[in-house]
Amino acid sequence: MTTKTRSQAAPEGYDPSKFPAFAVTVDVVILTMSESRLHVLLVRRGVPPFQGMWAIPGGFKRPTETLDEAAKRELAEETGVDSASLLAQFGAYGDPGRDPRMNVVTVAYLAVLREVAGIVAGTDAAAATLVPVSAALNGAIELAFDHARIVRDAVERVRIDLELTGIATAFVGPTFTMAELRAVYEAVWGVHLDGANFRRRVGGEDGWVIPTGRRARPGSTGGKPAELFRAGRLWKQGGPIRYPQTTDKGKGKR
Amino acid sequence: MTTKTRSQAAPEGYDPSKFPAFAVTVDVVILTMSESRLHVLLVRRGVPPFQGMWAIPGGFKRPTETLDEAAKRELAEETGVDSASLLAQFGAYGDPGRDPRMNVVTVAYLAVLREVAGIVAGTDAAAATLVPVSAALNGAIELAFDHARIVRDAVERVRIDLELTGIATAFVGPTFTMAELRAVYEAVWGVHLDGANFRRRVGGEDGWVIPTGRRARPGSTGGKPAELFRAGRLWKQGGPIRYPQTTDKGKGKR
DNA sequence: CCTGGTTTTGGTCGTCACGACTGTTACCTT
DNA sequence: AAGGTAACAGTCGTGACGACCAAAACCAGG
C-alpha cells in the first residue's frame, strides 16, 4: 500500500490514520469447454441481495491468506476441484455501490478447467450450472452485481492469452487430439482454422506437443482415429497459434 | 463480490456476516522515457514503516470513488498531471503482512507520461525522483513493501502491451519523430530495430501516423531534420511493431 | 465383403510480410 | 566548402503462412 507520501503537507481534508474499511472478496470466473463451446460456471444466489439470480462464485478474503490462496480455496469450495489447470488474477473491481450493503472491493480470478463431468455434480446441482458464455455476455442470463462485466473481461482475457500463453492446453485433458486442441481456438476466437495447417504449426518439429503412442477411439461417426498428444514444454513461452489476420489488403491488425 | 453461495450449508468455522476489514489502497507505477531509457517515478517515504525508503506513490481508496478515479487522483496529487497519456489497472496485491501495520490490499495502476520536465518539479523535489527501471529491478534501489515486485509486473505489462496496444504513443509527445517512437520500442524491449524497416511498417500506408508538415530541429550533432508526425487512429487496435523473433532456427516465440 | 462417408494426416504451392543491406538526401559543424 | 551525421528510400532473398488437394484409416450399412 503506502500512505500519503508528503507527510508534512497538510492532509487535504482526509486523515490517513482513519482509513476507510472495505470488505475484500475474491470472485472466480470458471471457464471450460463443453459441446465445442466455451462455458462459464454460475451459481444461484441463496441470500439477498440479488437473491435467486445467477452469479459467479466467490467469497471473502481472509486476513491470513494471500489473494491466490483465497481464489484457490473458493474454487475448491465451489467445484471440489483442488487444483485448476489455470488460475490467474485478471482484475479488481471497486465501484462504489457495486454491492448495496457495504463497500466491497473484489479481486477477480480466471480459472480454466478440463473434465466437465463432476464439476457441477460436486456442488449442489440446483445451485450450480454451466452456461455458454454467449448467453452470459449477450444478456440472455442476467447476472448479479457487476458480474456481467467481470465475465466479459475474463473472456476477453482468454482471447488475448490464447495467442501468447499456453492457456489453450488448460482446456483439454492431459492427453488430447489435434482436433480437440484446435476446437479450443475455434471456440474461443470464433474462427475456423485449417486442420492441416494447425497440425503443422503445433506438431511441426518443436516441443509444443509430445506424441504418446496411443490413439483416441473414433467417434460414432467413424473416421480415422486421432493420435493422442501430451502438452510439451514450449507452451510456457507463448502459444504457436496466432489470431488469423483477415488477409484483406488493409493490414489492420485484429 | 458475492457471499457464500451454499447459504444453507453450515459455515465451516467462518461467519460471512462478520467479514474481515481491509484497507484498500491504490498504487501507481509512473513510467516515462528519459535519456532514451525507461524511468519510474519514486517517492521517499516520510513516515514509518519503511521510513526513508523509496516507494511508488499511492494512497487510500475512498468509498465514494471508483478505483480508476482513485488512481487518477493519486497521480494528480503526486505529479500535478491531471490526465496521463495512459492509466490502466494491472494487478492487485494482498499478501498478508505486506504492510506490517494492518491488512492492506492494494490495486496497482500503470501510468505512462510524456514530458518529463515539470513532473518532479511539481512535487517536493527532495521527496520525488526519476530512476531508471533497471536500477529498481536489479535491486540497486531498495523499495518499500512489495513495490519491487509491483514495478516488475508493471514493466512486464508494458513489454506485452507494446506489441498489442498503442501504449508506445503514450511515451512520446503529441508530435514526434520516427526515431523518438522507435526509441520507445528499443528501450522497453531492449532490442535494436532497423530504422528503415521501422519507418516502412509505421508510416507505410495506413493510419498509424499522420505527417504534420513540420520538421524537428536536428540535434547538435547535425543530420537531416526528422519529419514530425501525429498519432493516427489505428493505434487503438494494436501496434504495428512486433517483438523481433530472433530468426534463429528454433521458432521459440520470445 | 464391399462401398460410401467421415476424420485424420501429409503434401504442394503461391503470396507476402519481414529483416538485412545498400544507397541517397538534407542538414549540421568547423 | 568539406566532412560528418542522421533521416529517408530502394532492393532482395528468406521463410512463414494460408488455401487447397490427396492419401490413409476407420466405421456403418448393405
Side-chain angles (χ1 to χ4, degrees):
Chain A
M1 56 81 66
T2 242
T3 62
K4 294 305 311 313
T5 48
R6 285 170 290 173
S7 55
Q8 288 79 329
E12 50 277 75
Y14 198 75
D15 184 0
S17 66
K18 283 191 286 293
F19 61 89
F22 287 85
V24 173
T25 61
V26 172
D27 290 344
V28 185
V29 178
I30 302 171
L31 297 180
T32 190
M33 291 287 297
S34 183
E35 308 163 355
S36 298
R37 286 194 303 174
L38 193 61
H39 282 65
V40 58
L41 184 141
L42 297 181
V43 295
R44 194 179 286 277
R45 285 185 57 78
V47 297
F50 301 102
Q51 184 168 12
M53 286 182 66
W54 293 104
I56 57 178
F60 291 104
K61 173 191 184 304
R62 300 177 184 174
T64 56
E65 65 188 357
T66 67
L67 289 167
D68 287 5
E69 289 167 355
K72 192 173 177 180
R73 175 176 54 80
E74 289 296 333
L75 176 68
E77 289 180 1
E78 296 296 337
T79 68
V81 177
D82 56 350
S83 74
S85 305
L86 188 141
L87 185 61
Q89 182 193 114
F90 70 90
Y93 300 83
D95 284 9
R98 63 178 294 278
D99 188 315
R101 293 167 299 178
M102 51 186 165
N103 296 322
V104 178
V105 171
T106 196
V107 179
Y109 276 76
L110 165 67
V112 174
L113 295 189
R114 50 203 176 193
E115 309 210 359
V116 188
I119 291 181
V120 177
T123 73
D124 193 347
T129 186
L130 228 50
V131 305
V133 290
S134 56
L137 292 186
N138 64 13
I141 293 183
E142 205 174 354
L143 297 185
F145 303 106
D146 51 0
H147 287 188
R149 184 188 163 200
I150 295 178
V151 170
R152 194 171 337 132
D153 291 349
V155 173
E156 184 58 28
R157 168 66 171 258
V158 171
R159 282 199 243 268
I160 293 175
D161 278 7
L162 206 58
E163 195 164 359
L164 26 97
T165 76
I167 196 176
T169 59
F171 282 96
V172 297
T175 69
F176 51 89
T177 68
M178 287 287 183
E180 283 174 1
L181 189 62
R182 181 163 51 91
V184 173
Y185 285 90
E186 293 182 335
V188 173
W189 280 343
V191 298
H192 171 71
L193 298 177
D194 182 82
N197 292 331
F198 185 89
R199 154 174 297 276
R200 190 174 314 114
R201 298 269 246 107
V202 177
E205 46 182 339
D206 304 297
W208 295 113
V209 292
I210 306 167
T212 82
R214 303 185 304 123
R215 295 183 161 275
R217 53 155 173 58
S220 61
T221 64
K224 179 176 177 176
E227 198 175 354
L228 280 175
F229 296 91
R230 297 198 329 267
R233 333 114 210 168
L234 260 63
W235 290 96
K236 308 215 169 212
Q237 301 153 29
I241 305 297
R242 289 201 172 167
Y243 189 91
Q245 324 279 86
T246 44
T247 321
D248 56 353
K249 194 58 175 306
K251 69 170 56 167
K253 303 185 53 169
R254 188 92 50 100
Chain B
M1 55 82 69
T2 241
T3 62
K4 293 307 310 315
T5 47
R6 282 172 291 174
S7 54
Q8 287 80 327
E12 50 277 78
Y14 198 76
D15 185 358
S17 66
K18 285 190 284 293
F19 61 89
F22 286 87
V24 173
T25 62
V26 171
D27 289 345
V28 185
V29 178
I30 302 171
L31 297 180
T32 189
M33 290 288 297
S34 184
E35 307 162 355
S36 298
R37 287 194 301 174
L38 193 60
H39 281 65
V40 58
L41 186 141
L42 298 180
V43 295
R44 193 180 287 277
R45 286 186 55 79
V47 298
F50 301 102
Q51 183 169 12
M53 286 181 67
W54 293 105
I56 57 177
F60 291 105
K61 173 191 185 305
R62 300 176 184 173
T64 57
E65 66 188 356
T66 67
L67 289 167
D68 287 5
E69 289 167 354
K72 192 174 178 181
R73 174 176 56 79
E74 289 296 333
L75 176 68
E77 288 179 2
E78 296 296 339
T79 68
V81 178
D82 56 350
S83 73
S85 305
L86 186 141
L87 187 61
Q89 182 193 114
F90 70 89
Y93 300 82
D95 283 9
R98 63 178 294 277
D99 188 316
R101 295 168 297 179
M102 51 186 165
N103 296 324
V104 178
V105 170
T106 196
V107 179
Y109 276 76
L110 164 68
V112 173
L113 296 189
R114 51 204 176 192
E115 308 209 359
V116 188
I119 291 181
V120 178
T123 73
D124 193 346
T129 187
L130 230 49
V131 306
V133 289
S134 56
L137 292 186
N138 64 13
I141 293 185
E142 206 175 354
L143 297 184
F145 303 106
D146 50 1
H147 287 188
R149 182 187 164 199
I150 296 178
V151 170
R152 193 172 339 131
D153 291 350
V155 173
E156 184 57 29
R157 169 66 172 260
V158 171
R159 282 199 242 267
I160 293 175
D161 277 9
L162 205 59
E163 197 163 358
L164 28 96
T165 74
I167 196 176
T169 60
F171 282 96
V172 296
T175 69
F176 52 88
T177 68
M178 286 288 184
E180 283 174 1
L181 188 64
R182 180 163 52 90
V184 174
Y185 285 89
E186 293 183 334
V188 174
W189 280 343
V191 298
H192 170 72
L193 299 177
D194 183 81
N197 293 330
F198 184 89
R199 154 173 298 274
R200 190 175 314 114
R201 298 271 293 149
V202 177
E205 46 181 339
D206 305 299
W208 296 111
V209 292
I210 306 168
T212 80
R214 304 184 304 121
R215 294 182 162 278
R217 54 156 171 58
S220 59
T221 64
K224 179 176 178 176
E227 197 175 355
L228 280 174
F229 296 91
R230 298 198 329 269
R233 333 113 211 168
L234 258 64
W235 290 96
K236 306 212 172 218
Q237 301 153 26
I241 305 297
R242 291 205 170 162
Y243 189 90
Q245 324 278 86
T246 44
T247 321
D248 57 353
K249 195 58 175 307
K251 69 169 55 166
K253 301 185 55 170
R254 188 87 52 93

XYZ file of all heavy atoms in Angstrom, chain B residues 19-85:
513
model
N -17.503 -10.014 8.239
C -16.398 -10.075 7.284
C -15.204 -9.316 7.851
O -15.356 -8.355 8.604
C -16.827 -9.473 5.947
C -17.224 -8.040 6.056
C -16.283 -7.030 5.908
C -18.543 -7.691 6.308
C -16.642 -5.700 5.998
C -18.901 -6.363 6.411
C -17.958 -5.365 6.261
N -13.994 -9.726 7.469
C -12.800 -9.022 7.938
C -12.640 -7.683 7.220
O -12.952 -7.558 6.039
C -11.658 -9.980 7.577
C -12.198 -10.771 6.441
C -13.672 -10.905 6.668
N -12.164 -6.708 7.951
C -11.998 -5.372 7.381
C -10.589 -5.224 6.810
O -9.602 -5.647 7.412
C -12.227 -4.311 8.456
N -10.532 -4.621 5.636
C -9.246 -4.359 4.984
C -9.145 -2.883 4.660
O -10.158 -2.204 4.452
C -9.132 -5.155 3.675
C -8.894 -6.617 3.881
C -9.967 -7.483 4.052
C -7.613 -7.131 3.896
C -9.752 -8.832 4.237
C -7.389 -8.476 4.072
C -8.457 -9.335 4.244
N -7.907 -2.418 4.620
C -7.663 -1.119 3.995
C -7.376 -1.370 2.524
O -6.674 -2.318 2.174
C -6.478 -0.427 4.657
N -7.933 -0.543 1.677
C -7.718 -0.674 0.233
C -6.983 0.565 -0.254
O -7.439 1.695 -0.040
C -9.047 -0.844 -0.523
C -8.807 -0.812 -2.029
C -9.718 -2.150 -0.136
N -5.860 0.338 -0.866
C -5.080 1.457 -1.401
C -4.921 1.301 -2.901
O -5.150 0.235 -3.464
C -3.693 1.524 -0.752
O -2.974 0.329 -1.043
C -3.803 1.682 0.750
N -4.500 2.379 -3.516
C -4.210 2.383 -4.947
C -2.789 2.896 -5.123
O -2.461 3.992 -4.658
C -5.214 3.267 -5.718
C -4.772 3.431 -7.157
C -6.605 2.666 -5.653
N -1.963 2.099 -5.753
C -0.581 2.500 -6.018
C -0.395 2.668 -7.522
O -0.970 1.919 -8.311
C 0.390 1.443 -5.495
C 0.440 1.420 -3.974
O -0.045 2.402 -3.370
O 0.936 0.451 -3.397
N 0.432 3.647 -7.879
C 0.586 3.982 -9.292
C 2.059 3.874 -9.679
O 2.912 4.541 -9.084
C 0.071 5.400 -9.600
C 0.124 5.674 -11.103
C -1.343 5.581 -9.080
N 2.328 3.038 -10.656
C 3.675 2.949 -11.230
C 3.732 3.928 -12.403
O 3.076 3.716 -13.425
C 4.002 1.523 -11.692
C 5.381 1.467 -12.335
C 3.916 0.557 -10.531
N 4.493 4.992 -12.221
C 4.550 6.048 -13.235
C 5.808 5.858 -14.059
O 6.924 5.974 -13.552
C 4.533 7.427 -12.571
C 3.273 7.575 -11.705
C 4.610 8.531 -13.606
C 3.271 8.809 -10.835
N 5.618 5.569 -15.339
C 6.743 5.315 -16.233
C 6.848 6.429 -17.260
O 5.842 6.983 -17.698
C 6.575 3.972 -16.943
C 6.547 2.733 -16.051
C 6.366 1.476 -16.898
C 7.808 2.636 -15.219
N 8.076 6.717 -17.648
C 8.298 7.737 -18.664
C 9.653 7.499 -19.293
O 10.481 6.757 -18.761
C 8.226 9.147 -18.054
O 8.233 10.110 -19.096
C 9.404 9.390 -17.128
N 9.875 8.125 -20.433
C 11.157 7.988 -21.119
C 12.046 9.160 -20.736
O 11.604 10.305 -20.693
C 10.954 7.979 -22.632
C 10.274 6.738 -23.160
S 11.354 5.298 -23.102
C 12.635 5.822 -24.230
N 13.302 8.844 -20.463
C 14.268 9.880 -20.159
C 15.643 9.388 -20.582
O 16.038 8.278 -20.217
C 14.245 10.189 -18.656
O 15.111 11.268 -18.361
N 16.312 10.181 -21.366
C 17.643 9.798 -21.856
C 17.592 8.452 -22.568
O 18.480 7.620 -22.390
C 18.643 9.731 -20.697
C 18.686 10.995 -19.852
C 19.338 10.715 -18.502
O 19.639 9.549 -18.234
O 19.538 11.682 -17.733
N 16.552 8.246 -23.340
C 16.398 7.009 -24.115
C 16.323 5.778 -23.226
O 16.596 4.670 -23.688
C 17.546 6.827 -25.113
O 17.537 7.889 -26.037
N 15.977 5.990 -21.979
C 15.789 4.833 -21.100
C 14.464 4.948 -20.371
O 13.956 6.044 -20.131
C 16.944 4.722 -20.092
C 18.245 4.243 -20.718
C 19.238 3.819 -19.640
N 19.534 4.918 -18.716
C 20.282 4.772 -17.632
N 20.791 3.597 -17.338
N 20.515 5.800 -16.844
N 13.951 3.788 -19.972
C 12.688 3.764 -19.251
C 12.937 4.128 -17.792
O 13.794 3.542 -17.132
C 12.074 2.368 -19.367
C 10.622 2.192 -18.954
C 9.723 3.071 -19.803
C 10.215 0.728 -19.090
N 12.163 5.089 -17.296
C 12.329 5.527 -15.917
C 11.017 5.366 -15.145
O 9.935 5.396 -15.725
C 12.755 7.006 -15.876
C 14.209 7.215 -16.171
N 14.768 6.937 -17.394
C 15.229 7.685 -15.408
C 16.067 7.230 -17.372
N 16.370 7.692 -16.183
N 11.150 5.222 -13.835
C 9.985 5.120 -12.968
C 10.087 6.215 -11.907
O 11.184 6.521 -11.425
C 9.893 3.726 -12.321
C 11.135 3.403 -11.517
C 8.647 3.616 -11.448
N 8.955 6.784 -11.561
C 8.930 7.836 -10.547
C 8.777 7.224 -9.157
O 7.857 6.429 -8.919
C 7.788 8.823 -10.814
C 7.751 10.044 -9.899
C 7.357 11.280 -10.692
C 6.775 9.860 -8.744
N 9.665 7.588 -8.278
C 9.612 7.088 -6.911
C 9.533 8.250 -5.933
O 10.017 9.356 -6.224
C 10.860 6.245 -6.600
C 11.064 4.989 -7.451
C 12.332 4.268 -7.038
C 9.860 4.064 -7.343
N 8.933 7.977 -4.796
C 8.857 8.987 -3.743
C 9.502 8.418 -2.476
O 9.509 7.207 -2.258
C 7.391 9.381 -3.447
C 6.776 10.056 -4.661
C 6.581 8.171 -3.043
N 10.023 9.312 -1.687
C 10.675 8.879 -0.451
C 9.668 8.916 0.686
O 8.992 9.929 0.887
C 11.873 9.784 -0.132
C 12.772 9.204 0.945
C 13.943 10.119 1.243
N 14.959 10.129 0.207
C 15.928 9.212 0.122
N 15.984 8.231 0.976
N 16.822 9.295 -0.836
N 9.579 7.830 1.405
C 8.589 7.745 2.474
C 9.026 8.592 3.670
O 10.155 8.475 4.145
C 8.410 6.296 2.908
C 7.645 5.460 1.913
C 7.374 4.077 2.450
N 6.699 4.096 3.730
C 5.395 4.300 3.874
N 4.646 4.502 2.811
N 4.848 4.308 5.066
N 8.080 9.389 4.172
C 8.400 10.259 5.288
C 7.942 9.724 6.624
O 8.262 10.299 7.663
N 7.192 8.625 6.601
C 6.662 8.081 7.844
C 6.910 6.585 7.866
O 7.068 5.953 6.830
C 5.147 8.351 7.967
C 4.875 9.853 7.990
C 4.386 7.695 6.821
N 6.963 6.005 9.062
C 7.082 4.548 9.155
C 5.820 3.888 8.622
O 4.756 4.529 8.632
C 7.256 4.287 10.654
C 7.590 5.618 11.252
C 6.981 6.655 10.378
N 5.835 2.657 8.243
C 7.058 1.843 8.159
C 7.845 2.147 6.889
O 7.347 2.853 6.024
C 6.496 0.423 8.112
C 5.185 0.571 7.442
C 4.639 1.916 7.843
N 9.026 1.621 6.836
C 9.908 1.832 5.700
C 10.249 3.305 5.534
O 10.432 3.785 4.425
C 9.300 1.285 4.407
C 8.999 -0.182 4.438
C 7.697 -0.634 4.620
C 10.015 -1.110 4.294
C 7.417 -1.979 4.653
C 9.737 -2.467 4.316
C 8.430 -2.902 4.507
N 10.300 4.034 6.644
C 10.580 5.468 6.557
C 11.944 5.700 5.898
O 12.927 5.035 6.201
C 10.571 6.093 7.957
C 10.775 7.593 7.946
C 10.486 8.218 9.302
O 10.348 7.526 10.296
N 10.379 9.536 9.339
N 11.959 6.661 4.971
C 13.185 6.992 4.281
C 13.459 6.155 3.049
O 14.333 6.499 2.254
N 12.717 5.086 2.866
C 12.938 4.256 1.683
C 12.134 4.791 0.506
O 11.188 5.556 0.656
C 12.539 2.808 1.974
C 13.530 2.070 2.851
S 13.029 0.366 3.120
C 13.213 -0.290 1.475
N 12.524 4.331 -0.682
C 11.793 4.723 -1.881
C 10.579 3.834 -2.067
O 10.605 2.651 -1.715
C 12.690 4.634 -3.112
C 13.802 5.632 -3.104
C 15.109 5.389 -2.849
C 13.694 7.037 -3.363
N 15.833 6.549 -2.934
C 14.992 7.582 -3.250
C 12.646 7.891 -3.680
C 15.262 8.936 -3.439
C 12.908 9.236 -3.863
C 14.196 9.745 -3.741
N 9.543 4.422 -2.625
C 8.303 3.680 -2.866
C 7.592 4.299 -4.057
O 7.912 5.417 -4.475
C 7.392 3.713 -1.639
N 6.649 3.576 -4.594
C 5.820 4.158 -5.642
C 4.669 4.905 -4.980
O 4.196 4.511 -3.907
C 5.290 3.084 -6.607
C 4.503 2.018 -5.863
C 6.436 2.452 -7.375
C 3.909 0.975 -6.774
N 4.228 5.982 -5.568
C 3.172 6.777 -4.930
C 1.851 6.028 -4.880
O 1.566 5.185 -5.727
C 3.068 8.011 -5.825
C 3.664 7.613 -7.118
C 4.695 6.576 -6.822
N 1.059 6.365 -3.883
C -0.236 5.724 -3.718
C -0.950 6.256 -2.504
O -0.427 7.116 -1.788
N -2.139 5.759 -2.285
C -2.902 6.210 -1.129
C -4.211 5.445 -1.007
O -4.526 4.587 -1.835
N -4.946 5.763 0.011
C -6.179 5.034 0.290
C -7.255 5.342 -0.728
O -7.392 6.481 -1.190
C -6.691 5.393 1.688
C -5.823 4.867 2.798
C -4.975 5.715 3.507
C -5.845 3.529 3.124
C -4.176 5.224 4.516
C -5.053 3.031 4.147
C -4.210 3.883 4.844
N -7.993 4.317 -1.045
C -9.197 4.500 -1.848
C -10.308 5.040 -0.962
O -10.452 4.631 0.190
C -9.636 3.173 -2.461
C -10.981 3.247 -3.172
C -11.488 1.855 -3.536
C -12.768 1.906 -4.345
N -13.850 2.658 -3.724
N -11.071 5.963 -1.499
C -12.199 6.500 -0.738
C -13.470 5.762 -1.141
O -13.634 5.383 -2.303
C -12.342 7.999 -1.006
C -11.085 8.756 -0.588
C -11.181 10.226 -0.929
N -9.924 10.901 -0.591
C -9.663 12.165 -0.896
N -10.557 12.886 -1.545
N -8.508 12.702 -0.555
N -14.371 5.597 -0.205
C -15.574 4.804 -0.506
C -16.434 5.397 -1.605
O -17.211 4.685 -2.237
C -16.324 4.806 0.832
C -15.275 5.082 1.865
C -14.292 5.991 1.206
N -16.296 6.668 -1.864
C -17.190 7.303 -2.835
C -16.616 7.343 -4.242
O -17.266 7.852 -5.148
C -17.489 8.744 -2.389
O -16.236 9.450 -2.253
C -18.214 8.766 -1.069
N -15.413 6.866 -4.424
C -14.796 6.944 -5.746
C -14.525 5.547 -6.291
O -14.382 4.596 -5.526
C -13.485 7.739 -5.678
C -12.407 7.056 -4.853
C -11.177 7.924 -4.618
O -11.127 9.044 -5.160
O -10.278 7.464 -3.899
N -14.419 5.444 -7.598
C -14.058 4.174 -8.205
C -12.552 3.986 -8.095
O -11.814 4.914 -7.744
C -14.465 4.124 -9.681
O -13.673 5.072 -10.403
C -15.931 4.466 -9.857
N -12.099 2.794 -8.418
C -10.662 2.538 -8.382
C -9.947 3.415 -9.405
O -8.871 3.973 -9.122
C -10.392 1.056 -8.670
C -10.796 0.085 -7.554
C -10.789 -1.344 -8.055
C -9.865 0.233 -6.361
N -10.523 3.545 -10.580
C -9.904 4.372 -11.611
C -9.805 5.822 -11.147
O -8.790 6.494 -11.381
C -10.714 4.291 -12.905
C -10.532 2.951 -13.610
O -9.859 2.083 -13.044
O -11.061 2.791 -14.720
N -10.844 6.293 -10.517
C -10.821 7.673 -10.032
C -9.775 7.857 -8.945
O -9.100 8.889 -8.884
C -12.209 8.065 -9.509
C -13.245 8.249 -10.598
C -14.666 8.316 -10.054
O -14.839 8.109 -8.824
O -15.584 8.551 -10.841
N -9.649 6.860 -8.099
C -8.642 6.947 -7.040
C -7.247 7.007 -7.643
O -6.384 7.784 -7.199
C -8.771 5.757 -6.099
N -7.013 6.197 -8.673
C -5.704 6.205 -9.316
C -5.438 7.565 -9.964
O -4.340 8.125 -9.865
C -5.640 5.092 -10.373
N -6.438 8.098 -10.602
C -6.297 9.401 -11.245
C -6.004 10.482 -10.212
O -5.180 11.370 -10.424
C -7.580 9.727 -12.017
C -7.475 10.904 -12.944
C -8.749 11.030 -13.767
C -8.686 12.252 -14.670
N -9.918 12.398 -15.465
N -6.683 10.391 -9.094
C -6.463 11.372 -8.037
C -5.055 11.267 -7.470
O -4.367 12.283 -7.287
C -7.504 11.170 -6.931
C -7.291 12.044 -5.700
C -8.397 11.862 -4.684
N -8.562 10.476 -4.275
C -7.778 9.864 -3.389
N -6.755 10.524 -2.840
N -7.983 8.609 -3.055
N -4.613 10.051 -7.200
C -3.276 9.883 -6.648
C -2.221 10.387 -7.628
O -1.241 11.020 -7.223
C -3.028 8.405 -6.328
C -3.811 7.898 -5.145
C -3.397 8.596 -3.849
O -2.234 9.039 -3.774
O -4.231 8.720 -2.950
N -2.427 10.111 -8.892
C -1.476 10.579 -9.901
C -1.406 12.096 -9.896
O -0.322 12.690 -9.930
C -1.883 10.059 -11.278
C -1.035 10.550 -12.454
C 0.357 9.960 -12.368
C -1.692 10.174 -13.771
N -2.549 12.725 -9.829
C -2.571 14.185 -9.842
C -1.910 14.756 -8.591
O -1.178 15.749 -8.660
C -4.016 14.676 -9.955
N -2.150 14.114 -7.456
C -1.574 14.628 -6.210
C -0.055 14.512 -6.217
O 0.642 15.352 -5.633
C -2.145 13.843 -5.022
C -3.602 14.180 -4.725
C -4.129 13.361 -3.558
O -3.345 12.587 -2.982
O -5.326 13.495 -3.234
N 0.457 13.492 -6.871
C 1.897 13.267 -6.817
C 2.646 14.016 -7.913
O 3.785 14.422 -7.720
C 2.186 11.766 -6.926
C 1.645 10.968 -5.759
C 2.311 11.353 -4.447
O 3.417 11.910 -4.482
O 1.718 11.112 -3.386
N 2.050 14.132 -9.065
C 2.771 14.699 -10.199
C 2.213 16.028 -10.674
O 2.869 16.730 -11.428
C 2.734 13.727 -11.395
O 1.397 13.646 -11.882
C 3.207 12.357 -10.979
N 1.007 16.372 -10.269
C 0.403 17.570 -10.794
C -0.216 17.372 -12.161
O -0.930 18.252 -12.651
N 0.044 16.240 -12.759
C -0.563 15.954 -14.053
C -2.008 15.540 -13.829
O -2.291 14.647 -13.032
C 0.208 14.837 -14.776
C -0.461 14.506 -16.095
C 1.638 15.262 -14.993
N -2.913 16.191 -14.527
C -4.316 15.876 -14.282
C -4.824 14.780 -15.204
O -5.872 14.217 -14.988
C -5.176 17.139 -14.416
C -4.990 17.783 -15.767
O -4.067 17.348 -16.493
O -5.739 18.691 -16.110
N -4.086 14.471 -16.244
C -4.528 13.362 -17.086
C -3.306 12.777 -17.764
O -2.650 13.440 -18.552
C -5.549 13.825 -18.117
O -4.929 14.574 -19.129
N -3.034 11.524 -17.456
C -1.877 10.874 -18.057
C -2.216 10.423 -19.469
O -3.376 10.357 -19.866
C -1.456 9.676 -17.213
N -1.191 10.144 -20.222
C -1.408 9.586 -21.550
C -2.069 8.224 -21.456
O -2.782 7.806 -22.352
C -0.075 9.449 -22.281
O 0.588 10.697 -22.307
